[in-house]
Amino acid sequence: MAVNKVEICGLDTSKLPMMTYERSTELLKKISEGDEEARDIFIKENLRLVLSVIQRFSGRGEQMDDLFQVGCIGLIKAINNFDLSFNVRFSTYAVPMIVGEVRRHLRDNNSLRVSRSIRDTAYHALQIRARLMDESGQEPHISDIAKAMDIKEEEVAFALDAIQDPVSLFEPIYHDDGDAIYVMDQLKDDRTSDDDWLTHVAIERGMDKLSEREQNIIKLRFFQGRTQMEVAEEIGISQAQVSRLEKNALRHMKKYV
């Protein structure tokens, strides 16, 4: 058995060939002259490039076989549009197109359904944004994009927001000595109150076992619904320390609740 062998779409990825710059240039010249055999060879010898791109999107619940096939579509589009006069390596040109194809697939197949018209508006806005950046060399304002599309700024903003990938509440946003701070730690629930908490959980005994600082953090976080950042600012320590103390306090309270 081959070492690090992974089967994707029936291919043994450990045996995918490596494409050199010289080999790439040679085949691209033949492709530009209409050589279909060279085109087929070029696609096969660039499958490792597709594989390297789709690995960025692992862990999103998508089958790697499906992402690989979508990536191959992006590769073929790159071949169809590439010209040696661009004076860049093919891989440099192809990677953004493969990434774009995979992202489009993920957005279109997202469980949070976005209407076709909104997606079309968003993709058009992204194209306009890229063109304006090429022309000016700087990030265009949303008003510039809206003006070029002849629509309201609000429509552009809404469409671009709609195609963003959803973020998990358990997405880590900061690490400190192994203690992660997650998106959910930044959220505030104004509906949380003392009565709600005390009605459902008998915490008095557990609270008595905590230090004064730990009690204060638990009250601010769960009685008053403060974020960890707000608690950190109020008591004068870092957010990472608040996270660590909060976790330790809850772990300690479980022994008595």
Side-chain angles (χ1 to χ4, degrees):
M1 179 179 293
V3 177
N4 296 327
K5 175 181 178 180
V6 178
E7 291 279 348
I8 292 185
C9 296
L11 295 172
D12 178 357
T13 58
S14 67
K15 295 182 179 179
L16 292 177
M18 295 287 289
M19 172 70 77
T20 64
Y21 176 71
E22 292 74 16
R23 173 74 167 164
S24 174
T25 303
E26 175 189 347
L27 289 172
L28 284 169
K29 287 180 179 178
K30 292 182 179 180
I31 292 173
S32 66
E33 296 168 357
D35 190 327
E36 289 299 323
E37 183 179 356
R39 178 185 173 85
D40 291 340
I41 294 173
F42 191 76
I43 292 174
K44 291 177 182 177
E45 294 191 6
N46 272 288
L47 293 181
R48 186 178 290 273
L49 178 64
V50 175
L51 179 63
S52 68
V53 171
I54 67 168
Q55 287 174 341
R56 306 180 189 179
F57 300 92
S58 61
R60 298 198 178 196
E62 290 284 331
Q63 293 292 327
M64 292 303 285
D65 278 13
D66 294 341
L67 294 183
F68 187 75
Q69 292 181 53
V70 173
C72 288
I73 294 174
L75 171 65
I76 292 171
K77 287 184 177 180
I79 294 172
N80 291 341
N81 292 280
F82 186 73
D83 193 306
L84 286 169
S85 64
F86 292 162
N87 198 30
V88 297
R89 288 178 178 269
F90 175 77
S91 58
T92 303
Y93 177 83
V95 166
M97 296 198 71
I98 298 171
V99 169
E101 198 67 30
V102 173
R103 284 179 174 165
R104 189 175 299 111
H105 167 78
L106 293 173
R107 288 165 183 162
D108 289 349
N109 291 276
N110 197 304
S111 57
L112 300 175
R113 305 305 299 173
V114 178
S115 71
R116 170 61 65 179
S117 61
I118 293 176
R119 288 202 303 269
D120 288 345
T121 298
Y123 298 149
H124 187 200
L126 291 174
Q127 292 174 343
I128 296 295
R129 172 179 171 271
R131 177 172 63 78
L132 292 176
M133 284 186 67
D134 289 340
E135 293 175 355
S136 66
Q138 59 185 8
E139 180 75 28
H141 190 273
I142 194 167
S143 60
D144 299 323
I145 299 175
K147 183 177 180 181
M149 296 176 66
D150 194 25
I151 62 176
K152 296 179 180 178
E153 293 181 31
E154 293 81 0
E155 292 182 44
V156 177
F158 179 79
L160 292 176
D161 283 342
I163 63 171
Q164 295 300 312
D165 293 332
V167 177
S168 169
L169 289 175
F170 297 96
E171 181 83 17
I173 59 174
Y174 179 77
H175 289 272
D176 180 66
D177 297 331
D179 291 320
I181 293 175
Y182 301 94
V183 171
M184 67 182 300
D185 293 327
Q186 309 300 301
L187 302 180
K188 178 178 180 179
D189 186 357
D190 293 326
R191 296 169 299 178
T192 302
S193 68
D194 291 8
D195 290 338
D196 294 331
W197 182 266
L198 292 172
T199 298
H200 296 89
V201 186
I203 62 170
E204 291 90 344
R205 185 182 177 196
M207 287 286 287
D208 289 340
K209 303 296 182 179
L210 301 179
S211 68
E212 184 177 347
R213 170 177 278 185
E214 289 174 333
Q215 288 185 29
N216 190 25
I217 289 173
I218 294 299
K219 288 176 181 177
L220 291 171
R221 283 284 288 139
F222 299 105
F223 290 179
Q224 299 180 23
R226 304 282 189 87
T227 67
Q228 286 188 348
M229 182 61 75
E230 290 171 336
V231 174
E233 291 177 354
E234 179 160 334
I235 65 179
I237 61 176
S238 71
Q239 184 178 353
Q241 288 176 296
V242 171
S243 177
R244 188 180 302 113
L245 288 168
E246 177 187 315
K247 289 180 173 65
N248 288 338
L250 292 175
R251 191 181 306 115
H252 190 62
M253 287 177 64
K254 286 180 181 178
K255 300 176 183 177
Y256 303 97
V257 174

